[in-house]
Amino acid sequence: MKNDVERYTKEINKRLQLPGKLKKRILTELTSEIYGRLDNGENLDDVLESIGSPQEVIEELEANYENESVRFRKGNIIKLTLLSVVALCMAALILNSITSVICPQFIRPTIIGGAHGSTAIFVTYKWSAKELILGLFIKVIVLVFSLLQIFKVSKSLKHKKRV
Amino acid sequence: MIETDMKQLKKGILKILVLKLLFFEKKYGYELLVEMSQKSNGFFKIKEGTLYPILYKLEEDGLVTSEWQFPHDKMRAKKYYSITAEGKSELNELITFWNSLTANVQDFLAEENI
């Protein structure tokens, strides 16, 4: 029975497009109500039927929080755009790092500073293999994190479309 | 279309009904749903998805307060809502307005040319 209640509230939690704090409050109260009614001897199917299917609950809540819901969706779209930019940048930087490890001859040394005159002197710096690998590692972590977030946000937006 | 209009009309009144139900004693969500349906002979049979947003808005406006409490002889906590002094005063104003609104609308609709 506990599993059925958890499945029901999880379904609402997954698809409800409202700010996290509000969603948590609604779900805590809803869960408490379901268990309270079960304690009073009501049948689980009757309780869930009277509250409505997860989809009905979501539609009703989102209709009553129309502005919040729209704002939240817009926020998700902005988040998705920013994450995509970060992921693209990281992918480009990773490609650059890989090239510098595999074909170091294509990478120009970084110019730190210099003096320009009749005799020009420039101080340059070249990344060591250790530094390049560490940088590559950090970029891969950022890329994986961004991709996971993109997947999560787009999944929740897709769910909304289906509802 | 007419169903949407009816829903909107009903929705506007729910705030008054919730405040009225809380006027004499604190209640939890499901208690409010059941009482509202019983006292209106099923006319105001609303669900949690409508009640919670009303309660949260009332709380945000300082018209009700809420706290988790264990009911007598029960092991599980429930969230109880109580009306505040501000809520009582707003309810009185809303009732006065409602009486004037219904009287005027009834007069208006009773006119022969309609």
Side-chain angles (χ1 to χ4, degrees), chain B residues 22 26 58-59 62-67 80-84:
Chain B
L22 293 172
K26 62 184 176 192
L58 288 173
E59 190 170 12
L63 305 178
V64 304
T65 54
S66 70
E67 59 176 335
Y80 280 88
Y81 291 88
S82 320
I83 193 166
T84 60

Side-chain angles (χ1 to χ4, degrees), chain A residues 22 25-26 28-30 32-33 35-37 39-40 42 49-52 56 60-61 63-65, chain B residues 11 28-30 33 46-50 52-53 55-57 59 66 68 74 76-79 81:
Chain A
L22 178 62
R25 185 178 179 179
I26 291 167
T28 308
E29 205 161 343
L30 195 63
S32 142
E33 187 200 306
Y35 283 118
R37 289 174 66 180
D39 287 349
N40 284 341
E42 282 190 61
E49 201 190 313
S50 81
I51 297 172
E56 284 168 345
E60 201 173 348
L61 282 165
N64 283 303
Y65 281 115
Chain B
K11 211 172 148 186
Y28 55 88
Y30 183 58
L33 291 178
I46 59 163
K47 291 187 177 186
E48 290 74 2
T50 298
Y52 293 166
L55 286 170
Y56 301 166
K57 181 77 176 68
E59 190 170 12
S66 70
W68 286 95
K74 297 281 182 213
R76 215 179 292 277
K78 287 181 193 305
K79 194 168 208 180
Y81 291 88

